[in-house]
Amino acid sequence: MAQYAPLKRQLVLVVEDEPILRMAALDMVEDAGFEAVEATDATDAIKILETRPDIRIVFTDVDMPRGIDGLKLAALIRERWPPIHVIVTSGKVEIGRMKLPVDCVFFGKPYDERRVVAEMNRMSRIC
């Protein structure tokens, strides 16, 4: 009988500065069958992206400390790592008041986890 290597789960980088929200997002990602890596802010996310070429999706909050917000992070990802898909979320910023980078998807908080997971699944099929 032939043996098959298990399918490698796609990697999602979760960028959220609020610990409770980050843990909830990590649980959502892992429960959906993805592998999750966490970053506490955009600066940490950039360091991770520079060393992890296997990341395919970034799920980021907009409001974060240390100068780089989630929108700037999304724009940087579009420039430096164009194949990576980006999901942006915020409970404070409305989509009509911000310029979302090309090929990024926005979900307002509180977001419907089923819709976010469906979007991650859609993104993972086109990676």
Side-chain angles (χ1 to χ4, degrees), residues 11-16 22 26 35-58 66 73 76-77 80-81 84:
L11 197 57
V12 177
L13 175 59
V14 174
V15 188
E16 171 65 63
R22 186 172 58 252
L26 291 167
E35 184 177 344
V37 174
E38 64 184 288
T40 58
D41 59 34
T43 302
D44 289 340
I46 292 166
K47 289 176 188 173
I48 292 168
L49 288 166
E50 289 174 340
T51 62
R52 296 292 307 258
D54 52 342
I55 292 173
R56 294 292 166 251
I57 300 171
V58 173
R66 294 183 23 177
L73 175 62
L76 180 67
I77 291 168
R80 291 183 63 185
W81 301 282
I84 295 176

Side-chain angles (χ1 to χ4, degrees), residues 25-105:
L26 291 167
D27 287 345
M28 174 187 67
V29 167
E30 290 175 347
D31 289 347
F34 295 93
E35 184 177 344
V37 174
E38 64 184 288
T40 58
D41 59 34
T43 302
D44 289 340
I46 292 166
K47 289 176 188 173
I48 292 168
L49 288 166
E50 289 174 340
T51 62
R52 296 292 307 258
D54 52 342
I55 292 173
R56 294 292 166 251
I57 300 171
V58 173
F59 180 75
T60 183
D61 186 28
V62 171
D63 296 313
M64 288 184 287
R66 294 183 23 177
I68 302 173
D69 67 23
L71 291 174
K72 290 178 185 171
L73 175 62
L76 180 67
I77 291 168
R78 290 277 54 82
E79 290 174 22
R80 291 183 63 185
W81 301 282
I84 295 176
H85 299 281
V86 181
I87 297 174
V88 178
T89 185
S90 178
K92 297 178 183 174
V93 178
E94 295 177 20
I95 188 69
R97 295 185 178 203
M98 65 178 164
K99 178 131 172 77
L100 200 61
V102 175
D103 293 331
C104 293
V105 176

